Amino acid sequence: MSLITSALYAGAKGAKAAAKGVAGAAAWGQMAVDDFVHLGRALDGNDIDAWDPDYIRRILPAWRAVMGAYFRGEVRGLDNVPDEGPSLLVGNHSGGTMIADTFVFAGEFYAHFGPDRRFHQLAHDIAARLPGTGLSRWGTVAASHDNARRAFDKGAPVLFYPGGDYETFRPTWHSDRIEFGGLKGFVKLALERGVPIVPVVAIGGQETALFVTRGERV
């Protein structure tokens, strides 16, 4: 490849990346305005039908570019998730407030199965109810068994972190441990609805900070 051809190829690639970034920014801006116009709906955190495949399609290239460039995440084994129907994806949670595992996994899920496959993530109330983040369009709802049941009824896989903030703020020297804090209700939920449980194991998220204590006494 000649030097001129190489330069043209690099320029075209850069322009394409920039176009994706602009499209993603436009989608995010429209979403943020809509959230603040309909603030009550955004603050509810339980609107499972806020999931928006068109928004995901527009934001996904920029989302994956940012996640890949900053966190350098790798997701393997998505072929273990059933191709259709509901399932319960049970993961270990890491990273404190910088929960890269959720963001990286969700982006790769949509890249693998396509934005039109409904997928929901159960999250802490603060994340699920915070306007302007776009998480509700991404499929995120407040963590509850009722919301999981609603998602199952729509044929969607559900991502759930039983350990929640107890696990994500575990001390750094517990980085290689899975700590659900004794919570096992997800097993009962899966049996109740007859959906398969798919383990989602993440490693590396606890490297986002030095975690000395969970801060439970405070």
Side-chain angles (χ1 to χ4, degrees), residues 169-181:
F169 285 103
R170 69 190 183 281
T172 292
W173 51 92
H174 290 194
S175 294
D176 60 348
R177 303 183 191 179
I178 294 176
E179 300 182 346
F180 288 170

Side-chain angles (χ1 to χ4, degrees), residues 95-98 169-173 175 204-212:
T97 55
M98 186 63 73
F169 285 103
R170 69 190 183 281
T172 292
W173 51 92
S175 294
Q206 216 64 1
E207 296 174 13
T208 58
L210 174 63
F211 297 92
V212 178

Side-chain angles (χ1 to χ4, degrees), residues 17 20-21 59-72 108:
K20 289 179 179 178
I59 202 77
L60 186 59
W63 180 283
R64 294 183 71 211
V66 171
M67 293 297 110
Y70 188 80
F71 292 112
R72 301 186 302 278
E108 293 309 301

Side-chain angles (χ1 to χ4, degrees), residues 35 42 47-48 50-52 120 128 133-141:
D35 266 11
D47 184 6
I48 205 162
W51 174 76
D52 185 348
H120 290 285
T133 62
L135 294 182
S136 61
R137 270 73 164 183
W138 201 248
T140 303
V141 289

Side-chain angles (χ1 to χ4, degrees), residues 98-214:
M98 186 63 73
I99 45 175
D101 46 23
T102 311
F103 301 141
V104 171
F105 181 83
E108 293 309 301
F109 181 98
Y110 282 125
H112 181 82
F113 290 104
D116 291 310
R117 183 175 187 189
R118 183 182 277 267
F119 172 47
H120 290 285
Q121 313 88 42
L122 303 186
H124 192 285
D125 277 5
I126 293 176
R129 301 175 194 275
L130 194 63
T133 62
L135 294 182
S136 61
R137 270 73 164 183
W138 201 248
T140 303
V141 289
S144 73
H145 283 200
D146 285 341
N147 280 338
R149 292 185 185 101
R150 293 187 188 103
F152 292 152
D153 288 343
K154 292 180 178 292
V158 173
L159 177 62
F160 179 49
Y161 296 103
D165 51 5
Y166 176 83
E167 183 173 42
T168 195
F169 285 103
R170 69 190 183 281
T172 292
W173 51 92
H174 290 194
S175 294
D176 60 348
R177 303 183 191 179
I178 294 176
E179 300 182 346
F180 288 170
L183 299 179
K184 302 174 183 177
F186 66 92
V187 177
K188 181 179 179 181
L189 177 64
L191 290 172
E192 172 196 312
R193 285 305 179 101
V195 300
I197 293 178
V198 181
V200 177
V201 181
I203 187 69
Q206 216 64 1
E207 296 174 13
T208 58
L210 174 63
F211 297 92
V212 178
T213 172
R214 289 187 174 92

Side-chain angles (χ1 to χ4, degrees), residues 55-102:
Y55 172 79
I56 295 167
R57 187 176 296 105
R58 295 170 65 192
I59 202 77
L60 186 59
W63 180 283
R64 294 183 71 211
V66 171
M67 293 297 110
Y70 188 80
F71 292 112
R72 301 186 302 278
E74 297 180 18
V75 177
R76 304 170 187 167
L78 280 165
D79 52 327
N80 291 306
V81 179
D83 288 333
E84 57 185 24
S87 55
L88 184 59
L89 313 183
V90 178
N92 63 305
H93 216 16
S94 302
T97 55
M98 186 63 73
I99 45 175
D101 46 23
T102 311

